[in-house]
Every structure is written in C-alpha cells, then in structure tokens.
Amino acid sequence: MLNQNPKLDLMFQALADPTRRAMIDRLSRGPASVSELAKPFDMSLPAVVQHLQALEASGLVSSQKVGRVRTCQIEPEALSQAEQWLNERRTLWVKRLDRLGEYLAATEDEEEGK
Amino acid sequence: MLNQNPKLDLMFQALADPTRRAMIDRLSRGPASVSELAKPFDMSLPAVVQHLQALEASGLVSSQKVGRVRTCQIEPEALSQAEQWLNERRTLWVKRLDRLGEYLAATEDEEEGK
DNA sequence: TTGTTACTTAATTTCATGCTTAACCAAAAT
DNA sequence: ATTTTGGTTAAGCATGAAATTAAGTAACAA
C-alpha cells in the first residue's frame, strides 16, 4: 500500500502517550537527566525508562551518558517531520475547499448574470 | 500531573497507524465513502470501519450517512491542534538554543576583548 | 572499602489493539 | 418481491504495549 513510513508510526505512537508528551514538554524547556524526567511521575524508574526508549526509538528525543548520568534532549528535526506530515494533508484539504468556494462563487455570479 | 488533554491521546494514537494515515491522506484529496476508503486495503471491511472509528473518535475525521452511504471527510481544525502542539514545543526548544548561541557568542567576544 | 546514586536488565502480569469470520440490517436495483 | 449493495454489530483470537518487582552494574562519595 501507499506511504510506508515506519518512522512516523513510531513518532505518533510515542506522542500518543500523555506521560511521553509530558516528557517532551519538559524537554522543550531544556535538557534533563533520566531521574529529573522521572521526578514528576508516580511511576517506577524502569517504567519511565521504557517511555524514554519509545521516544528515542522514534527519534523525537536523543540522549548521551556521561559518567552515570544520562542526559536527554529533544530532536527538533523529528518533531518537524511529524508537524509537516500533518500540515501537508491539512493544507491540501483547505486548498481544495478554497477552490470549491471560488467555483461556487463563480456559478453564483453566472446565475446573477442571467 | 497527568492528562491535560485526552483528545491529543486519541489523535496521535489514530495517527500512529499507517492504514489510518493512508486514509487521512486519501481524504486530504476529497471526501470518500467507506467502501471507497476500503478499496486500496487488503483487509476486511469491518477492519476498515474500526480504523475509521478510531479516526472519528479522535476528531480527525467526521462522517454523515445519507441513504446507505456514509461519506467521510477530514476535520482540518483537529489536524491543526496536533500540529500546534508539536510546533509549540519545537519552537520553545529552538528559541532556547538561539539564546544559548547568542550567549556563547557574547562570551567569546569578551574573551577576544581581553 | 564500603555505601549510595543513577541507572539498566530481566521476568512477569495485565490490558489494549488490530484483525478475523459470521450474522445482520436497511436502502437500491432488478 | 427478491437480490444486491453498503455498511454495522458481535465475538474471538493473536500480538504487543505499559506497568510492576527484583536483581544487577558502574560511577562517585565518604
């Protein structure tokens, strides 16, 4: 079938979870360690790390370990890809609506011209 | 802490499936009936309808039934909401990076001035 | 060197998702 | 009136995702 883009699957899947969106929200304000990221959540650390793995697998977040601390940050380019997918479809639709509107306006003018 | 916006859960969840994205892609080119939407997929009709229900539950797609034909279309406002969520976080991050860049440039100037 | 911090890995349980077939309904067509 | 078309409902099944606890490792601190 059309449009096999498995990276988008992983991105939107990652974004579907409120915990993971909250993590992205936190990271949009600056980098954070795993335990900083975990702090707001009432959830075990391994659970948080699994969410983080989903975010990294999707490419939305990256991380490096220095000493024993893993620091995470947003990958804006990946966010942008998801954003663009949505934007392209939406504007296609909207432009179609615009053309339809113009057509209707034109045919109304014809009616008036009779 | 959690779940400020459950509608976003449903939207991103809906977008995570390639079949459903292909449906949105199709609908971005204009409205379609259920069986038109189903045609490209090697999948039973009930399966297609279930995907459609996920799209409608999320608000990304709406439909009306006339006679025995259900016609579906995109809800651009919903697409836009998902788009905005991504855009806000990304631009927050990017602006932060810009400020950091300016700061670094400024401290380098100081070094040079010594 | 001993303990604490900051994760990491593994095993398990529970619940949701995506798909199927079968049966059903109601509008159109013949 | 009967059949076909377009869609709906229901039940069941296989898979995968989200969480848990328990146990382990490696860095750093006392």
Side-chain angles (χ1 to χ4, degrees), chain B residues 13 17 19-20 42-44 46-47 50-51 67-68:
Chain B
Q13 183 65 266
D17 185 282
T19 300
R20 290 192 291 258
D42 183 18
M43 174 185 311
S44 70
Q50 281 173 41
H51 282 301
R68 58 185 169 169

Side-chain angles (χ1 to χ4, degrees), chain A residues 42-106:
Chain A
D42 184 18
M43 174 186 308
S44 69
L45 193 65
V48 169
V49 171
Q50 284 180 71
H51 282 301
L52 219 37
Q53 283 166 353
L55 287 167
E56 287 208 53
S58 75
L60 290 166
V61 165
S62 66
S63 72
Q64 326 73 228
K65 200 167 181 178
V66 171
R68 58 187 169 168
V69 176
R70 175 172 301 280
T71 304
C72 308
Q73 58 269 150
I74 277 185
E75 283 300 323
E77 195 46 49
L79 280 249
S80 179
Q81 279 175 41
E83 218 178 310
Q84 273 177 50
W85 191 92
L86 293 165
N87 187 62
E88 284 164 14
R89 272 79 199 168
R90 187 176 56 82
T91 56
L92 232 186
W93 172 273
V94 170
K95 279 176 188 160
R96 210 192 118 272
L97 267 196
D98 287 351
R99 285 197 303 278
L100 186 60
E102 279 167 29
Y103 168 77
L104 289 177

Side-chain angles (χ1 to χ4, degrees), chain B residues 86-101:
Chain B
L86 293 166
N87 187 62
E88 284 164 14
R89 272 77 199 170
R90 188 175 57 82
T91 56
L92 231 185
W93 172 272
V94 170
K95 280 176 188 161
R96 211 193 118 271
L97 268 196
D98 288 350
R99 285 198 304 278
L100 185 60

